[in-house]
Amino acid sequence: MSAVPALPADLDLADLERVACEVAREAGRLVVDERPTELGTTAKSTRTDVVTEMDQRSQELLLERLAVLRPDDAVLGEEEGGRPGTSGLTWVVDPIDGTINYLYDMHEYAVSVAAVVGDPAVPGAWRPVAAAVLNPPTGELFHAHTGGGARLTGPGGSRSLRANPVSDLGLSLVGTGFGYAAEVRERQARLLVDLLPRVRDVRRHGSAALDLCAVACGRLDGYYETGLNAWDRAGGMLVAVEAGALVGGPVGEVPTRDLTWAAAPGIAAELSALLRELTSRHVGSVGEPG
Ligand code: IPD
């Protein structure tokens, strides 16, 4: 794994956070206000993995706005059409995280926008430094920058976030998610069979970005998933870390496509050890991003 480059000294992280919030809000307005009754979909990696016309429009808007506000930065998005940059900073965006919820008009999806240093295509070679994760239908905006703490700003005001003070894994509520390929889902289900008796209960909400923010604000004690891409986790993982949660992967503190976990500090050691064992026993490698 390559090392993450040092943070450029003149980088204003609070300003990057403001930019992330601004563009996430604009994209959020678009996906709510212009959601058609009949959503056009196109299949991606499998026939259950779809992109809607609104995922594409949201990403186009994010690209346009970031080109104006941060013209020298690169953009990597879930949908086609990112762009290279010259500044060393990349905006990793998920224009709608939780597309299946959006498709069914369920109100648990997010626009996730994160500024990262390093190369987001290389595991372990990047890290998010500023982020915003917006749930457009509820108006809840989770945001953070490195060293600045995490906040939730919404219709009821703004507050700082702290992961739960839980210490008993058996009394912990753990979120997870599943990939789109049937063969990967079978392996993920086997892991779940072994995990479920060891925790209070499990939730599958349908947006990895919001699940990570849920650990940050105490709506979940822990979360894990195998098969996540950089755009699913970049924003939420910074919010979780800045709220005092621990985040990691198969080894150490670097989440990868093979395993991403986030947990309240009091259960992180036990949960991560269990997940590492169960992931290697049941899931193994989930392959290349797609
Ligand atoms: C998906 C969601 C879901 C997770 C999947 C992701 P998408 O992202 O985050 O919760 O379980 O692994 O692919 O496809 O809705 O952007």
Side-chain angles (χ1 to χ4, degrees), residues 9 15 23 38 42-44 50-51 85 115-116 148 151 158 177 187 206-207 216 220-221 233 254:
D15 190 55
V23 299
E38 289 297 319
T42 313
K44 291 202 292 186
V50 296
V51 53
V116 320
R151 298 193 71 80
S158 186
R187 291 188 262 152
S207 161
L220 290 173
D221 299 307
R233 65 175 185 269
V254 180

Side-chain angles (χ1 to χ4, degrees), residues 43-163:
K44 291 202 292 186
S45 61
T46 70
R47 70 194 179 100
T48 55
D49 177 14
V50 296
V51 53
T52 74
E53 62 197 82
M54 294 307 289
D55 292 76
Q56 275 152 344
R57 286 185 62 195
S58 174
Q59 178 155 318
E60 279 157 23
L61 185 146
L62 292 168
L63 275 156
E64 276 168 29
R65 295 300 294 136
L66 288 168
V68 172
L69 297 168
R70 301 283 312 176
D72 298 333
D73 301 344
V75 183
L76 170 71
E78 174 171 16
E79 313 311 336
E80 279 174 21
R83 66 157 176 271
T86 53
S87 67
L89 207 77
T90 301
W91 292 88
V92 177
V93 303
D94 195 332
I96 301 181
D97 181 61
T99 298
I100 302 301
N101 284 348
Y102 184 69
L103 185 62
Y104 283 79
D105 202 14
M106 290 174 64
H107 288 181
E108 199 138 10
Y109 59 86
V111 175
S112 177
V113 178
V116 320
V117 290
D119 183 352
V122 181
W126 60 276
R127 71 183 166 96
V129 293
V133 176
L134 174 73
N135 179 334
T138 66
E140 287 191 322
L141 179 70
F142 299 87
H143 50 108
H145 69 262
T146 299
R151 298 193 71 80
L152 168 55
T153 301
S158 186
R159 65 181 173 94
S160 65
L161 299 179
R162 216 61 215 152

Side-chain angles (χ1 to χ4, degrees), residues 44 49-50 55 78 94 96-100 176-180 204-209 211 223 225-229 231-232:
K44 291 202 292 186
D49 177 14
V50 296
D55 292 76
E78 174 171 16
D94 195 332
I96 301 181
D97 181 61
T99 298
I100 302 301
T176 191
F178 308 112
Y180 291 106
R204 196 295 195 242
H205 289 123
S207 161
D211 283 329
Y223 162 76
E225 188 160 340
T226 58
L228 286 185
N229 294 300
W231 47 81
D232 299 309

